[in-house]
Amino acid sequence: MINRNLLVTLLAGYVLLLANARAQADRIVLAPLASTLRANGIKLETLISPYRGNENFSWVQISTPQSIELEYNRWDLMGDNRLRDSFNIQYPVFSDFGSVPAVSIGVRDLLGTGVERQSFYIAAGRSIFLSDSQIKLWKEIKLTVGAGTGRFEGVFLGAALRLNCGVSFNAELYRYRPNYSIGIPIVRHLEAKAHSLNGQIYYGLTFQFGH
């Protein structure tokens, strides 16, 4: 089994090497979007619950020049004294282009060290065509539907929307429960977020390296 400390070190080093890359959304809320990070993309995210002690989530994501997404995910759960971290991979089969939807396959918790225990999935989705009037308000609208094994518990679906001002709204049905998020840009590359996960509120930050 791969040493977890070595894995984190390698991911952190790759982040530093790709610091000038540009990224885009890769997750609806918790469920995967059909599209992965752009080539050489980087995204750092953390969420903290103000109502459940020290319960929090964090992600470090990078993508290769082929847009294969590699992710380290850590879960610190209330009442759980064990370290719950996982290594995830998402592979883009098709990109969202013209009439062809984005399709990707992936696995969560590949090493079986987290909470999702080698859950495999497939996701498909596409960007919605915006009219001239809609494009004045919306920058993009993405829809995704997929299905997975294990902790995915079957079908998931959702939408990721972003206004031209940078504010984002995401909603999903994941593990047969609704999750929501709203993101507000603070400065370049940095976004404040609020999430509702299974009815529980979390606050956090997302940092994306880009041009």
Side-chain angles (χ1 to χ4, degrees):
M1 182 176 291
I2 297 174
N3 182 279
R4 281 179 286 179
N5 291 331
L6 176 60
L7 179 61
V8 174
T9 301
L10 291 174
L11 286 175
Y14 196 29
V15 164
L16 293 175
L17 288 174
L18 300 178
N20 291 322
R22 187 174 179 178
Q24 65 179 18
D26 65 296
R27 222 181 304 113
I28 308 170
V29 181
L30 291 180
L33 271 174
S35 54
T36 61
L37 292 175
R38 290 176 180 152
N40 299 330
I42 301 169
K43 184 178 179 182
L44 312 175
E45 186 169 9
T46 185
L47 296 177
I48 299 174
S49 171
Y51 307 109
R52 297 177 67 88
N54 295 321
E55 185 164 295
N56 62 84
F57 306 91
S58 56
W59 294 266
V60 177
Q61 297 155 270
I62 61 176
S63 64
T64 70
Q66 296 77 33
S67 292
I68 300 171
E69 187 179 304
L70 309 174
E71 177 181 75
Y72 170 78
N73 176 211
R74 175 166 176 165
W75 306 63
D76 290 319
L77 303 175
M78 186 177 68
D80 188 347
N81 295 323
R82 293 185 59 186
L83 175 63
R84 304 287 185 177
D85 58 356
S86 62
F87 178 61
N88 313 320
I89 301 176
Q90 186 174 0
Y91 179 83
V93 180
F94 299 110
S95 298
D96 184 2
F97 182 76
S99 60
V100 179
V103 177
S104 64
I105 56 176
V107 57
R108 293 272 179 89
D109 195 11
L110 178 63
L111 306 179
T113 55
V115 298
E116 294 174 299
R117 298 290 177 178
Q118 299 173 331
S119 299
F120 294 86
Y121 65 89
I122 182 171
R126 64 177 305 134
S127 298
I128 300 301
F129 175 78
L130 300 176
S131 67
D132 291 341
S133 59
Q134 291 171 331
I135 207 169
K136 294 177 182 178
L137 177 64
W138 297 99
K139 183 176 182 179
E140 63 180 5
I141 299 175
K142 293 184 176 183
L143 303 179
T144 290
V145 62
T149 65
R151 293 281 289 181
F152 280 94
E153 297 183 5
V155 175
F156 58 88
L157 54 91
L161 307 91
R162 186 173 295 274
L163 296 168
N164 283 321
C165 64
V167 176
S168 63
F169 304 92
N170 290 15
E172 69 181 15
L173 185 65
Y174 178 57
R175 300 178 63 196
Y176 303 102
R177 297 174 181 175
N179 296 320
Y180 309 95
S181 72
I182 180 171
I184 300 175
I186 302 175
V187 295
R188 189 181 184 188
H189 309 310
L190 186 64
E191 183 179 35
K193 281 196 165 184
H195 287 63
S196 172
L197 307 179
N198 299 329
Q200 182 66 48
I201 300 299
Y202 291 81
Y203 300 106
L205 295 171
T206 298
F207 187 68
Q208 297 190 42
F209 293 103
H211 297 294

